[in-house]
Amino acid sequence: MEYKEIAGRMPEKVFEYFKALSDIPRGSGNTKAVSDYCADFARARGLFYRQDEADNIVIVKEASDGYETAPTVMLQGHLDMVCGKEAGIQHDFERDPIRLEAEGDYIRARGTTLGGDDGIAVAYALAILDSDEIVHPRLECVFTSDEEIGMLGANALDMDGLRARYLLNLDSEEEGSFLAGCAGGVRYDVELPLSWKMAAGIPVRIQLISLTGGHSGVDIHRGRANANLLMGRLLWELSHELKDMRLLSARGGSQDNAIPRNSEIHLLVKRRDLDCLKSKVKEWEDIFRSEYRVTDPELRLFFEANENEASLPAVIPEDMERICFFLLNTPNGVQAMSQELPELVETSLNLGILSLTETDGFTVSYLVRSSSSSRKRALCQRLELFTKFSGGSFHTSGDYPEWEFRPESPLRRLLCRVYKEQYGKEARVETIHAGVECGLFAAGIPGIDAVSMGPDILDIHTPKERLSISSVDRVWKFLIEVLKHMKDA
């Protein structure tokens, strides 16, 4: 999408920078180029910046005239994005730019995730830093890396020297909602050792695709199918029908914080069993589509067989059964609801990534979330025992704390007042089951007053992700007005 297609429909500078960020591959773990882009931006404008080895970057802009005594404000977002694409889409997230499209009031990507989460936050901040007309207090714009894989950047950030008293985290996806608390989380990786033996048969691939997926925090309670768990169920059913079937490999999902939309297995079967296998795949497609007709109406199962017989290393039957046991019995999804807020999920987990290869064995990755640190620990202990008795090993990473609700918040009070003046209605103050980096900043900068906000972004962490143009404009005007009122904060 050329910028000229959307000029005049929204704050031009914001979308100029959003387009520039979309041109830079910036999946989690690949943020050096986008961090360097922000460093170049700061140097070109004579702004102080600090960039670290984790690709985090802090850019400082001094206060406008008359705002010298106002409290320093941090504008904060993350540089990385979740990388996901539709089946059949040719896109290399390591090299290719995101191909943007305008459709009515929305901007989306062509067959891939958009990166509005959280590219729009960085675009907002760069547009403010680039302006000589917007009045503001001293600003610390903090862009972190690898938020989507355990908030690794924020965990690595040296917060000494940051002077912000107020934190505006711009990583929320619902206009008019001010977040004041969130769940903590931890990534949990499991490995099961397997034994392999040469087997002969016809190589077959079975693909489960086009599930709805979604964010493993905000969508975990919606009852959507998990492609990896359905594939485990199918594998168990097929193993009963086809006694000579052998498992070669499997893979499903790409992010621990996204409900997996696709999964596939590679099998060896006897030629005499091909018709039976094809029939069973169709039968189970009908079953799955019936069970998930509301949440996953586009679900499909595909069967593809080679012409020639092959001799290949396959998982021994006993270990294939162990894999099925694991996938049919692992905890997944909502584990507990909040006692104070009955509609809010308290504790959950998502089996987001599955891989089975001869080299690495069977591995799965979960994201465990909870607004209770003790419940999060208890769920990890449950996974630990389940893994141990399944004959596997585990390790955890990216542990980040919950962000506790702060009853008294001058920043939240200011935001609510400005919101009512601009919109003519009351804003919503909420806590969510997803994770934002405010908890880490609250732990690293004692006393900081934080709120998370942002424009409307729908279906994040999926290729259907889309960003509302009109909402971006309204939130931009709101953000500028908030900065203007900081003189009186």
Side-chain angles (χ1 to χ4, degrees):
M1 178 183 69
E2 296 297 331
Y3 175 68
K4 64 184 180 182
E5 295 181 31
I6 55 173
R9 296 180 61 194
M10 62 199 74
E12 292 195 16
K13 275 294 181 181
V14 173
F15 274 88
E16 177 182 322
Y17 285 118
F18 186 74
K19 174 65 166 64
L21 294 166
S22 299
D23 286 341
I24 305 170
R26 53 187 178 89
S28 302
N30 183 36
T31 52
K32 181 65 165 64
V34 69
S35 180
D36 287 344
Y37 170 84
C38 295
D40 292 341
F41 168 95
R43 279 195 299 271
R45 289 157 184 78
L47 299 174
F48 171 82
Y49 74 94
R50 170 164 59 92
Q51 187 180 24
D52 64 23
E53 292 183 357
D55 297 336
N56 298 307
I57 185 162
V58 178
I59 304 176
V60 177
K61 188 174 184 181
E62 296 302 329
S64 303
D65 291 343
Y67 284 75
E68 293 86 355
T69 60
T72 296
V73 173
M74 181 189 300
L75 301 178
Q76 193 268 320
H78 60 86
L79 297 168
D80 62 317
M81 62 175 280
V82 167
C83 297
K85 58 186 179 180
E86 297 282 6
I89 293 293
Q90 299 299 313
H91 186 93
D92 185 348
F93 283 102
E94 295 288 322
R95 297 185 300 177
D96 297 338
I98 299 297
R99 297 173 294 176
L100 303 177
E101 296 179 334
E103 183 180 298
D105 185 47
Y106 293 101
I107 289 178
R108 61 189 307 160
R110 197 176 307 161
T112 70
T113 42
L114 173 66
D117 173 19
D118 193 23
I120 195 61
V122 181
Y124 274 142
L126 294 178
I128 291 169
L129 291 170
D130 198 25
S131 173
D132 294 326
E133 299 175 358
I134 298 171
V135 295
H136 55 78
R138 182 178 182 274
L139 296 176
E140 294 175 339
C141 295
V142 180
F143 309 138
T144 52
S145 65
D146 296 340
E147 188 270 354
E148 300 288 7
I149 52 174
M151 303 189 186
L152 303 184
N155 260 309
L157 178 68
D158 182 358
M159 297 187 190
D160 288 345
L162 294 176
R163 292 160 43 187
R165 281 178 48 196
Y166 294 144
L167 163 59
L168 277 173
N169 170 277
L170 302 173
D171 190 19
S172 292
E173 296 86 29
E174 188 174 356
E175 181 183 358
S177 172
F178 298 141
L179 298 186
C182 75
V186 61
R187 175 166 168 145
Y188 193 98
D189 293 294
V190 172
E191 299 178 8
L192 296 184
L194 304 174
S195 296
W196 300 73
K197 187 176 181 180
M198 296 299 294
I202 302 295
V204 170
R205 178 171 70 161
I206 299 175
Q207 291 179 291
L208 177 61
I209 67 167
S210 299
L211 280 67
T212 301
H215 189 289
S216 73
V218 298
D219 296 319
I220 198 68
H221 63 292
R222 302 189 191 279
R224 296 173 182 173
N226 181 308
N228 290 330
L229 299 185
L230 289 193
M231 190 59 84
R233 186 175 161 192
L234 176 64
L235 182 62
W236 177 243
E237 292 289 342
L238 294 178
S239 69
H240 283 283
E241 294 288 335
L242 309 173
K243 300 300 183 182
D244 294 322
M245 184 188 80
R246 297 293 180 265
L247 177 62
L248 299 175
S249 65
R251 63 179 179 181
S254 59
Q255 299 285 339
D256 59 17
N257 59 357
I259 301 168
R261 303 174 62 250
N262 307 314
S263 191
E264 66 178 60
I265 54 175
H266 294 245
L267 307 170
L268 275 181
V269 299
K270 299 302 182 182
R271 190 177 297 276
R272 65 175 183 271
D273 291 332
L274 282 176
D275 288 342
C276 178
L277 176 59
K278 187 174 182 179
S279 174
K280 296 301 292 185
V281 168
K282 180 63 174 71
E283 175 187 337
W284 279 94
E285 180 185 53
D286 292 341
I287 292 171
F288 290 154
R289 283 178 58 81
S290 175
E291 291 179 351
Y292 293 95
R293 59 189 177 277
V294 175
T295 59
D296 297 80
E298 298 178 21
L299 181 155
R300 292 290 184 276
L301 263 175
F302 289 104
F303 167 91
E304 179 185 358
N306 284 5
E307 291 293 330
N308 300 319
E309 186 169 309
S311 181
L312 297 167
V315 178
I316 65 172
E318 295 85 352
D319 282 350
M320 182 172 66
E321 183 173 338
R322 194 154 57 96
I323 290 170
C324 291
F325 169 84
F326 189 96
L327 293 176
L328 266 63
N329 289 280
T330 179
N332 189 77
V334 175
Q335 303 296 299
M337 302 298 290
S338 169
Q339 296 186 35
E340 289 81 12
L341 302 169
E343 295 182 358
L344 179 69
V345 178
E346 181 211 71
T347 304
S348 76
L349 74 166
N350 175 60
L351 196 165
I353 307 171
L354 178 152
S355 176
L356 169 63
T357 67
E358 185 183 7
T359 303
D360 299 324
F362 177 78
T363 62
V364 295
S365 298
Y366 302 84
L367 183 57
V368 176
R369 300 179 187 268
S370 184
S371 52
S372 164
S373 58
S374 60
R375 286 280 183 88
K376 184 174 74 172
R377 181 169 177 268
L379 183 51
C380 286
Q381 289 173 333
R382 181 181 172 192
L383 277 176
E384 179 180 351
L385 282 173
F386 178 68
T387 300
K388 176 181 178 182
F389 281 90
S390 297
S393 60
F394 76 96
H395 68 274
T396 61
S397 61
D399 196 347
Y400 58 90
E402 67 274 13
W403 172 29
E404 294 185 7
F405 179 81
R406 179 172 175 161
E408 176 56 30
S409 166
L411 176 60
R412 191 169 69 238
R413 189 166 59 244
L414 172 63
L415 292 178
C416 288
R417 176 168 62 83
V418 174
Y419 183 89
K420 188 170 184 180
E421 292 172 357
Q422 177 174 323
Y423 290 84
K425 58 183 179 180
E426 301 289 344
R428 301 184 307 280
V429 176
E430 300 176 318
T431 62
I432 60 168
H433 187 56
V436 292
E437 293 162 299
C438 296
L440 286 167
F441 283 96
I445 307 174
I448 196 167
D449 189 357
V451 172
S452 181
M453 54 169 280
D456 289 336
I457 313 177
L458 285 69
D459 293 320
I460 63 171
H461 297 183
T462 80
K464 294 182 179 180
E465 180 185 358
R466 55 204 185 277
L467 174 64
S468 168
I469 294 168
S470 59
S471 182
V472 167
D473 189 36
R474 289 189 297 269
V475 171
W476 168 249
K477 293 171 182 174
F478 173 76
L479 184 57
I480 292 171
E481 195 67 16
V482 167
L483 294 175
K484 178 180 176 181
H485 281 76
M486 282 292 175
K487 189 193 310 189
D488 305 319

